[in-house]
Amino acid sequence: MGRPAPRERRSGGTRVHGRDDVRRLTAADLGGELGERATLVQFSSAFCAPCRATRRTLAEVARMVPGVAHVEIDAEDRLGLVRELDVLKTPTVLVLGPDGEVVRRAQGQPRRVDVIAALGEAVGGGRDD
């Protein structure tokens, strides 16, 4: 029996989803190293103003939390991965657990507090499998 569809929550301009049914992502997939505890993956595009603000927020959180990496991917350069992961707009942020599993996903510019909460789920294992 398959998993139920992830629930969506709208918070301002950000759409947040639960865990995805995608394969685990590797450093080779991302073009950057996975964090020891979690990885913040940002899909961006060149002329996306919210992407610049998202980059600052994710980089700040990654600096604050030991073992967390931030990897930014240019959506136009990685269309295959964009399609595989069903990235429909930028910025899209994926929070990966230490094994590369997508734990959380958000579209739009995230708030720092939401990123920190998602990291708590990724590193703390707040999963219900």
Side-chain angles (χ1 to χ4, degrees):
M1 186 176 268
R3 289 186 186 153
R7 286 182 266 163
E8 279 186 15
R9 182 179 87 236
R10 294 267 315 162
S11 174
T14 304
R15 182 176 301 237
V16 178
H17 301 271
R19 293 178 22 171
D20 283 356
D21 286 328
V22 298
R23 66 180 172 76
R24 285 176 167 71
L25 299 174
T26 65
D29 293 324
L30 302 176
E33 291 300 314
L34 292 171
E36 182 181 309
R37 298 176 68 202
T39 305
L40 301 170
V41 180
Q42 175 184 351
F43 286 89
S44 299
S45 53
F47 299 104
C48 167
C51 293
R52 290 188 291 276
T54 298
R55 177 184 312 117
R56 287 189 300 272
T57 299
L58 297 182
E60 177 184 347
V61 171
R63 282 191 305 270
M64 288 173 27
V65 183
V68 173
H70 171 223
V71 177
E72 186 171 5
I73 297 173
D74 185 317
E76 295 171 22
D77 289 344
R78 300 293 306 277
L79 287 176
L81 187 60
V82 164
R83 288 182 182 117
E84 180 182 339
L85 297 174
D86 199 27
V87 173
L88 302 177
K89 68 183 259 185
T90 58
T92 291
V93 176
L94 306 178
V95 179
L96 308 182
D99 59 357
E101 180 182 2
V102 178
V103 176
R104 300 290 288 169
R105 174 188 187 111
Q107 293 179 349
Q109 183 179 336
R111 298 178 310 157
R112 183 170 46 157
V113 66
D114 294 331
V115 175
I116 292 169
L119 279 175
E121 183 176 340
V123 301
R127 302 176 185 172
D128 54 357
D129 284 350

